[in-house]
Amino acid sequence: MAYLLLIRVGNFNLHAADQVIAAGAGVLLIGLFSARTFGRFHGGHSPKQS
């Protein structure tokens, strides 16, 4: 889906640093958001009580 929106629909240039940085920052933020949101459903990173 991202490929379709970036390359086919939009006007994305792989040689323009500002566009590559913006796309990379978006991927990073979506990844962090998804990890924090869905991590709690798969054990997450909570300390174990002994």
Side-chain angles (χ1 to χ4, degrees):
M1 187 58 122
Y3 171 79
L4 179 68
L5 289 173
L6 285 173
I7 305 299
R8 296 295 178 189
V9 175
N11 187 12
F12 185 75
N13 183 4
L14 280 172
H15 299 290
D18 59 337
Q19 293 180 11
V20 172
I21 290 170
V27 169
L28 177 67
L29 289 175
I30 289 295
L32 290 173
F33 175 75
S34 297
R36 288 188 52 84
T37 301
F38 297 113
R40 71 182 77 160
F41 300 118
H42 298 286
H45 185 63
S46 58
K48 296 183 181 185
Q49 298 177 2
S50 36

